[in-house]
Amino acid sequence: MAERLSLSLTLSPSTPAPTTMAAFSTTASSRILPSATAASRARLSFSSSLKCLRSSPLVSNLFLNQKRSPMVRVSERGLSSTASPKCAAAADPDQLKSAREDIKKLLDSSFCHPILVRLGWHDAGTYNKNIQEWPQRGGANGSLRFEIELKHAANAGLVNALKLLQPIKEKYSGVTYADLFQLASATAVEEAGGPKIPMKYGRVDVTGPEQCPEEGRLPDAGPPSPADHLRNVFYRMGLNDKEIVALSGAHTLGRSRPERSGWGKPETKYTKEGPGAPGGQSWTVKWLKFDNSYFKDIKERRDEDLLVLPTDAVIFEDPSFKVFAEKYAEDQDAFFKDYAEAHAKLSNLGAKFEPPEGIVINDGPSEPAPEKFVAAKYSSGKD
């Protein structure tokens, strides 16, 4: 495919509270958004991103010098030779639940919600419904932990998400990378105030870099024909127009930095301060809160400090997309319902489950508390 596909999340560095500095001297906040068009803009230095947790380039487009962690090494064989990938016969439900609690603590200290959402999206988003064989079909199989796939332009900066999650992976050997990526993504949405996502687990990991998909399966931010491009990418995954628009709503999280992605302003009144390093341009005022603001703000397009990409604007321009975008701008409950279903579907794409029916660990209330994510109130701009 001529155009590079990428479900990108923009990654911006974030600094945790002083009490968490020992664990994370620097943290990241990112955003789901399509990658920049020009390969020269998007292809950020993989080696420089390995320098530290603070060195987190904005992924070509959709989500700065820290000490390298001795615990995490990336090679062509994947993350940390001491935690080499093995396919568990079956996922451990207790370990999955414990890992989820640890992810919640990580989110509370590092505000890395956007990049964790992006990590899950990018591992699953390589799925091709026209290929039957596993793992050639791509999808949620943990292949994104290998250097060859991390070096794809659309995945720039995702090594930082892996570094954040690696201690959790090492702690819970009964959780595969494929499950951990999807668990972290769903938990990040829920903890940012989004809907409860009906997830299942038990995904099997690929075992080597030779099983990674080729580059070019993820979406672009500024293609010549945005609507056609989005359909080409998401239809290949087996998703429809409603699911395309619902998933676009996750762009409510994060911000874009022009020096890294080629999109957005260097700074706005909404990104001057808050969790993480200042700067960049966000799509919404409260860019760490999951709600339907993305649709409202794109529809109005009255605030020059909020970013609108070609692939954002088209959801209110294309007749089929517009039906759903208008609905979600008016009805957050409808958006949450459709987003939860679409996210769950995306997270299962291409996965091989053991046991085949998967394992469900979700419990608690079906809807999260509306103001659960306190950090969403940080904005120094208008409400």
Side-chain angles (χ1 to χ4, degrees), residues 207-222:
T207 56
E210 69 281 357
Q211 296 175 313
C212 291
E214 73 281 2
E215 186 168 8
R217 293 195 186 185
L218 297 172
D220 203 349

Side-chain angles (χ1 to χ4, degrees), residues 172-183:
Y172 302 108
S173 60
V175 178
T176 63
Y177 280 99
D179 270 351
L180 183 62
F181 295 168
Q182 301 308 321
L183 176 65

Side-chain angles (χ1 to χ4, degrees), residues 72-361:
V72 182
R73 299 188 300 280
V74 180
S75 71
E76 69 171 12
R77 297 303 304 176
L79 268 186
S80 180
S81 59
T82 60
S84 77
K86 301 223 178 185
C87 298
D92 185 322
D94 290 335
Q95 287 199 18
L96 282 164
K97 289 180 181 179
S98 296
R100 182 173 58 186
E101 294 308 307
D102 284 6
I103 290 168
K104 290 179 181 179
K105 293 176 184 176
L106 173 64
L107 292 165
D108 285 343
S109 64
S110 66
F111 310 111
C112 57
H113 303 66
I115 196 174
L116 294 188
V117 177
R118 179 182 160 224
L119 180 68
W121 276 41
H122 281 221
D123 197 44
T126 59
Y127 176 64
N128 186 337
K129 69 177 182 181
N130 300 312
I131 300 175
Q132 297 300 313
E133 297 79 14
W134 184 93
Q136 291 90 336
R137 64 196 181 204
N141 57 31
S143 64
L144 191 46
R145 71 190 185 276
F146 292 110
E147 180 182 8
I148 188 172
E149 190 169 343
L150 280 171
K151 289 173 74 173
H152 292 177
N155 293 328
L158 281 178
V159 64
N160 295 288
L162 291 170
K163 285 182 176 183
L164 288 167
L165 292 177
Q166 186 63 18
I168 298 176
K169 177 67 181 78
E170 292 175 352
K171 184 176 178 181
Y172 302 108
S173 60
V175 178
T176 63
Y177 280 99
D179 270 351
L180 183 62
F181 295 168
Q182 301 308 321
L183 176 65
S185 183
T187 303
V189 169
E190 294 168 11
E191 291 296 295
K196 185 78 173 175
I197 299 173
M199 300 289 290
K200 68 175 182 177
Y201 299 95
R203 294 170 188 78
V204 175
D205 280 339
V206 296
T207 56
E210 69 281 357
Q211 296 175 313
C212 291
E214 73 281 2
E215 186 168 8
R217 293 195 186 185
L218 297 172
D220 203 349
S225 301
D228 290 341
H229 177 70
L230 288 175
R231 288 192 173 97
N232 287 338
V233 175
F234 287 95
Y235 283 11
R236 188 210 68 222
M237 298 182 206
L239 301 174
N240 58 34
D241 286 1
K242 180 175 78 170
E243 290 160 337
I244 291 172
V245 178
L247 289 171
S248 295
H251 296 179
T252 191
L253 298 175
R255 51 191 169 162
S256 176
R257 294 180 181 275
E259 71 274 16
R260 298 172 185 172
S261 70
W263 296 93
K265 296 180 179 181
E267 183 180 84
T268 73
K269 61 178 174 282
Y270 305 123
T271 63
K272 286 182 178 179
E273 55 188 56
Q281 185 174 13
S282 59
W283 285 255
T284 60
V285 174
K286 294 184 177 180
W287 45 267
L288 284 174
K289 180 177 176 61
F290 195 101
D291 57 19
N292 68 336
S293 294
Y294 169 80
F295 298 104
K296 292 180 177 180
D297 292 336
I298 290 178
K299 181 179 180 179
E300 294 178 2
R301 299 185 72 168
R302 295 175 183 169
D303 193 332
E304 293 183 355
D305 273 342
L306 298 179
L307 182 62
V308 179
L309 297 170
T311 44
D312 298 319
V314 77
I315 67 171
F316 278 99
E317 296 168 352
D318 179 87
S320 178
F321 290 159
K322 184 176 181 179
V323 172
F324 302 107
E326 292 277 4
K327 178 181 179 181
Y328 300 152
E330 298 299 323
D331 189 342
Q332 180 168 284
D333 290 341
F335 165 53
F336 275 23
K337 177 181 179 296
D338 290 349
Y339 179 84
E341 293 173 357
H343 186 125
K345 181 175 179 178
L346 175 67
S347 75
N348 294 338
L349 294 180
K352 180 165 71 173
F353 288 90
E354 187 60 44
E357 67 276 13
I359 296 170
V360 175
I361 65 164

